[in-house]
Amino acid sequence: MHSKRLKKIEPKQFYNLMCLFFYFRDRKEWADLEPVPQDDGPNPVVKIAYSEKFTDVFDMFRALLKNDEKSERAFALTAEAIELNAANYTVWHYRRVLLQALDKDLREEMKYITAIIEDQPKNYQVWHHRRMVVEWLNDPSEELQFVAEILSQDAKNYHAWQHRQWVMQEYKLWDGELEYVEELLEEDVRNNSAWNQRHFVISHTRGYSDSAILEREVQYTLKQIKKAPHNESAWNYLNGILQDGGLSSYPGLLEQVTELQDTCSSPYLTAFLVDLYEDALETNSSSYDQQETLNKALELCKLLAEEKDTIRREYWNYVSRSLQNTYGSGDPVASSSDPPPPSSSQQPDTEPSDP
Amino acid sequence: MLTIVFFALSGLDVLDALDVVDKPSLIEWIYSLQVLPTDDKSNLSRCGFRGSSHIGVPYNSSKGPGAPHTYDSGHVAMTYTGLACLVILGDDLSRVCREACLAGLRALQLEDGSFYAVPEGSENDMRFVYCAACICFMLDDWSGMDRQRAIDYIRRSTSYDSGIGQGAGLESHGGSTFCAVASLCMMGNLQEVFSERELKRIRRWCILRQQNGFHGRPNKPVDTCYSFWVGATLELLDVFQYTNFEKNRSYILSTQDRLVGGFAKWPDSHPDPLHTYFGICGLSLMGEAELQKVHPALNISVRAFESLRRLHEAWRQKST
């Protein structure tokens, strides 16, 4: 008779299985340490049903902390604790203390933290730990590639972008980032994080006060809008880079945007025009007929409220009222619940409108 | 863990169901989480509240002194939620070591105006600016921070699109926008820090977050908790009334779990304390029947806020 073949188990699996039964409190190398239980007093409020393994590991962790033990076994235990709860910031801090006290190999630590972040990319502590190790090594050389890896799995991971920006600023690694951003926008033109990064890179390099750069960006953004008109990110970017100079004074902008109205209509386009007209009114621009501009702005608010952005109907009516009160002639229009007008508001124009 | 207790407790408060809670026991437990100044007061810069007893410090719910422990320090979010829970439970904060908490808070502020969570160091961002503002507000004492630096941090975190990110250069986000605006409101500085033009732009950014429910960033999916983060911000900016209540309410209710109760971020997802709490608060902002009103900046019931205000009056009278 053939004996039944046992399923082959990898060494690590075997060890883990054994560990389920081999608690730290039973290991002879830990016999000198008295486990410290959590003490929530006579009326514990939050009774978490910790597993035996969890209690065992953390009772031993508390004991190590109490003695401020700096040893290899302590270091090994932090890995166990992290596996059970990677959000415990005290464990991570203690691990960093040990990394330094035991002069551990930080390259190995980089490999370790890389694996943990891959597994739990939305945890705050793991990213902070990575940042500390990079700082100690003073070596950012793997960072941009690593973050790109994480972003390839979730292109909007806020932690990843935060780390990326920190690395770039700290180590002045601006080269190639605009190209990277464009790649991401090719993949998803609606990636708001990528648009934000675009602004980040340019503001920290050539800057937008360079009119050639500004024009390049305006054209780039309009091109993306034509590809995907209903994209708030692109419109926010266009508005954002032009607001300092004033939307109504940027040459050719009104024409270029108005041109898009037929084929690339969206509530964002309409709102952009409202903002442009409001800028003309606010700056009392001589290139614009004030009354006509106000009327156009009010018309567009009505269009948004009734047709293009009905979910914000009340808001667009409110914007309309504000515009009328600030720039219109005649009686103020108000809803009793409107916010109080600013003390520095322009007085209504009392001159009669042109026939 | 204290943060989870806060979600549960404040949630029950908004549901007007605090009577199911053993208030005295809870108050004792919360005080046991206070990192007390030691005899020699050498740990003042580490004081505040812990999130749980996980370090293994012996139980002590008194006003002190505390037992020294190398790794025992407060966490800014736990100090904030600890104080908030005490206020909700009607405690008079008499066992809070105010000076120690404020010293612990000062120790957490960086040069750029933002805050660490713990004195050992951690990430720093707008979340902890908010926690710090709440602590100062509740203790009625702004010596816990350099306000101007915090304001500068907030201004520098404002994005090109007029939303506010977690820090300078970072993507604008509903959570950090709430943290920034609510902090300024608690400082009493909103109108001084932002011009009317800037406030208009922030209002626009926020109000564009509504899709049916709200999302936290352009082109991201909606999530129940943003009905509070963005909703409360809009309320602080006086324009929440112009949002679409029906669609917001419908969305929040669609994320309710019919079997277990509570709310999740999305429909047909697992509910959790955070989304349940913020779902309730999101509904409260719209005046949902049978829910207590929530203070949009401090994020506790208006009723709890009023009892805090009375406490402040008593403190001020005592000191004159």
Side-chain angles (χ1 to χ4, degrees):
Chain A
M1 281 278 235
H2 297 286
S3 60
K4 205 167 171 199
R5 290 244 349 243
L6 289 171
K7 183 180 164 197
K8 185 177 196 307
I9 307 177
E10 292 302 306
K12 186 169 195 249
Q13 276 177 288
F14 181 79
Y15 183 67
N16 275 342
L17 277 172
M18 291 309 293
C19 283
L20 280 172
F21 306 98
F22 201 22
Y23 298 120
F24 281 90
R25 62 175 184 257
D26 298 327
R27 301 186 197 186
K28 64 172 175 13
E29 314 85 34
W30 291 83
D32 61 298
L33 209 50
E34 182 69 31
V36 174
Q38 218 169 322
D39 183 4
D40 276 310
N43 281 317
V45 167
V46 187
K47 278 205 186 86
I48 296 185
Y50 297 117
S51 68
E52 267 230 69
K53 182 175 179 186
F54 193 100
T55 309
D56 175 58
V57 168
F58 278 94
D59 280 357
M60 210 52 88
F61 174 70
R62 283 183 273 274
L64 290 168
L65 273 192
K66 192 172 164 187
N67 300 336
D68 199 6
E69 182 175 311
K70 309 245 173 48
S71 64
E72 276 302 327
R73 70 176 181 179
F75 186 73
L77 188 127
T78 61
E80 295 283 343
I82 284 162
E83 201 184 326
L84 289 165
N85 180 11
N88 189 318
Y89 56 85
T90 310
V91 177
W92 283 108
H93 170 64
Y94 186 52
R95 187 179 174 90
R96 282 191 287 276
V97 168
L98 292 170
L99 280 168
Q100 305 214 279
L102 305 173
D103 197 26
K104 301 291 288 181
D105 183 348
L106 295 179
R107 299 275 167 206
E108 282 303 309
E109 190 66 5
M110 280 299 285
K111 287 189 199 155
Y112 173 73
I113 196 63
T114 295
I116 307 253
I117 294 176
E118 288 274 2
D119 192 44
Q120 301 182 58
K122 292 201 170 178
N123 168 313
Y124 285 93
Q125 288 69 41
V126 300
W127 285 98
H128 176 67
H129 189 75
R130 187 185 182 95
R131 180 168 149 162
M132 295 305 298
V133 179
V134 168
E135 276 182 7
W136 289 344
L137 284 170
N138 199 32
D139 179 9
S141 62
E142 292 172 21
E143 297 317 282
L144 296 182
Q145 190 176 347
F146 172 70
V147 174
E149 218 303 288
I150 299 294
L151 290 173
S152 72
Q153 294 161 46
D154 174 2
K156 302 180 185 184
N157 182 324
Y158 205 95
H159 304 270
W161 283 111
Q162 198 161 2
H163 187 79
R164 194 176 184 87
Q165 286 198 357
W166 168 74
V167 170
M168 287 173 61
Q169 237 175 327
E170 188 71 18
Y171 298 97
K172 316 224 184 318
L173 299 172
W174 307 102
D175 287 349
E177 190 67 2
L178 192 56
E179 287 74 8
Y180 176 65
V181 164
E182 283 193 17
E183 257 172 57
L184 289 180
L185 289 174
E186 270 301 300
E187 285 168 33
D188 178 9
V189 72
R190 292 181 180 82
N191 184 338
N192 197 65
S193 309
W195 282 100
N196 181 73
Q197 189 73 351
R198 190 178 184 94
H199 189 271
F200 177 72
V201 174
I202 293 174
S203 2
H204 282 93
T205 50
R206 297 276 295 277
Y208 292 94
S209 17
D210 182 338
S211 60
I213 299 290
L214 188 57
E215 181 57 19
R216 181 195 74 194
E217 290 304 296
V218 169
Q219 291 315 315
Y220 175 82
T221 311
L222 289 171
K223 186 163 159 213
Q224 306 317 312
I225 287 170
K226 285 174 194 153
K227 278 195 228 165
H230 198 281
N231 180 4
E232 191 194 334
S233 300
W235 284 103
N236 284 356
Y237 184 77
L238 186 65
N239 197 322
I241 62 178
L242 291 171
Q243 59 168 308
D244 283 345
L247 295 184
S248 66
S249 36
Y250 196 81
L253 185 66
L254 177 58
E255 289 73 23
Q256 286 182 82
V257 173
T258 315
E259 225 169 66
L260 294 174
Q261 268 182 305
D262 292 328
T263 49
C264 301
S265 175
S266 74
Y268 312 115
L269 186 154
T270 313
F272 188 91
L273 288 173
V274 172
D275 291 340
L276 194 154
Y277 291 138
E278 184 172 9
D279 182 64
L281 293 167
E282 198 171 359
T283 56
N284 206 6
S285 171
S286 51
S287 324
Y288 294 79
D289 178 293
Q290 294 292 297
Q291 187 60 56
E292 205 184 299
T293 303
L294 175 62
N295 290 342
K296 283 196 193 143
L298 295 176
E299 202 182 295
L300 292 177
C301 285
K302 187 161 180 232
L303 184 63
L304 285 161
E306 293 177 1
E307 203 182 298
K308 289 193 170 295
D309 198 16
T310 56
I311 194 173
R312 272 166 279 278
R313 182 185 60 212
E314 296 305 322
Y315 170 73
W316 292 115
N317 289 342
Y318 154 72
V319 171
S320 200
R321 286 195 302 273
S322 304
L323 288 171
Q324 278 183 290
N325 288 341
T326 313
Y327 302 107
S329 48
D331 299 320
V333 180
S335 171
S336 58
S337 48
D338 282 348
S343 49
S344 56
S345 71
Q346 232 177 299
Q347 288 308 305
D349 191 350
T350 52
E351 283 180 25
S353 47
D354 288 340
Chain B
M1 246 190 298
L2 189 43
T3 48
I4 299 183
V5 169
F6 169 77
F7 293 141
L9 212 53
S10 195
L12 286 169
D13 186 22
V14 176
L15 287 165
D16 209 1
L18 268 181
D19 43 295
V20 308
V21 153
D22 177 356
K23 294 192 187 130
S25 294
L26 253 172
I27 290 173
E28 288 309 298
W29 179 75
I30 293 167
Y31 273 119
S32 79
L33 296 175
Q34 188 171 196
V35 176
L36 298 161
T38 51
D39 255 315
D40 62 359
K41 294 205 185 341
S42 57
N43 69 335
L44 285 185
S45 62
R46 292 196 283 138
C47 287
F49 283 71
R50 312 174 192 96
S52 73
S53 58
H54 79 286
I55 297 291
V57 172
Y59 183 89
N60 181 353
S61 62
S62 77
K63 200 172 174 174
H69 188 303
T70 319
Y71 292 93
D72 192 24
S73 27
H75 183 294
V76 79
M78 309 306 165
T79 305
Y80 149 51
T81 48
L83 291 172
C85 285
L86 288 171
V87 169
I88 291 166
L89 291 167
D91 184 76
D92 65 358
L93 306 184
S94 53
R95 275 185 273 169
V96 174
C97 302
R98 290 171 63 190
E99 285 313 315
C101 279
L102 293 165
L105 191 54
R106 280 191 294 273
L108 298 175
Q109 191 168 24
L110 285 97
E111 262 194 62
D112 70 359
S114 68
F115 288 78
Y116 287 132
V118 293
E120 292 82 2
S122 73
E123 69 278 14
N124 60 294
D125 55 50
M126 202 62 78
R127 297 172 298 153
F128 305 139
V129 172
Y130 175 71
C131 293
C134 288
I135 293 166
C136 289
F137 187 88
M138 283 188 281
L139 294 180
D140 197 22
D141 191 332
W142 290 88
S143 71
M145 68 157 78
D146 181 329
R147 248 185 299 187
Q148 192 52 55
R149 281 197 206 243
I151 286 168
D152 290 342
Y153 184 81
I154 290 171
R155 281 203 61 89
R156 273 183 287 108
S157 302
T158 308
S159 165
Y160 60 86
D161 65 6
S162 300
I164 302 172
Q166 289 291 352
L170 293 169
E171 193 183 356
S172 54
H173 184 283
S176 40
T177 302
F178 166 80
C179 288
V181 172
S183 295
L184 291 176
C185 286
M186 285 189 283
M187 289 182 209
N189 280 27
L190 183 66
Q191 312 273 344
E192 284 139 51
V193 172
F194 287 118
S195 67
E196 188 55 35
R197 186 169 181 269
E198 287 168 329
L199 287 173
K200 266 195 264 189
R201 299 185 70 93
I202 298 173
R203 287 183 189 116
R204 171 77 66 82
W205 186 89
C206 290
I207 211 153
L208 281 175
R209 295 312 115 235
Q210 183 167 26
Q211 310 300 294
N212 33 65
F214 287 78
H215 61 196
R217 295 181 264 172
N219 290 318
K220 286 274 287 183
V222 292
D223 172 335
T224 299
C225 63
Y226 293 108
S227 289
F228 179 76
W229 301 128
V230 181
T233 309
L234 288 166
E235 177 63 25
L236 291 169
L237 296 168
D238 296 308
V239 291
F240 182 67
Q241 57 184 303
Y242 304 125
T243 59
N244 186 312
F245 281 20
E246 241 178 83
K247 292 197 172 177
N248 187 14
R249 186 176 184 274
S250 262
Y251 178 74
I252 298 173
L253 292 175
S254 77
T255 67
Q256 199 170 196
D257 184 308
R258 298 198 170 282
L259 207 59
V260 170
F263 296 91
K265 64 194 294 197
W266 299 326
D268 303 314
S269 305
H270 291 297
D272 61 59
L274 183 147
H275 290 93
T276 300
Y277 176 64
F278 289 116
I280 291 170
C281 290
L283 291 170
S284 163
L285 287 176
M286 292 185 277
E288 181 77 18
E290 296 174 47
L291 292 183
Q292 293 289 305
K293 291 295 265 174
V294 174
H295 189 281
L298 193 50
N299 184 215
I300 56 177
S301 68
V302 167
R303 175 180 47 201
F305 182 85
E306 289 304 316
S307 75
L308 178 68
R309 208 202 277 277
R310 286 194 292 275
L311 196 57
H312 288 172
E313 270 165 38
W315 289 348
R316 288 174 194 176
Q317 268 179 28
K318 235 175 164 187
S319 64
T320 50

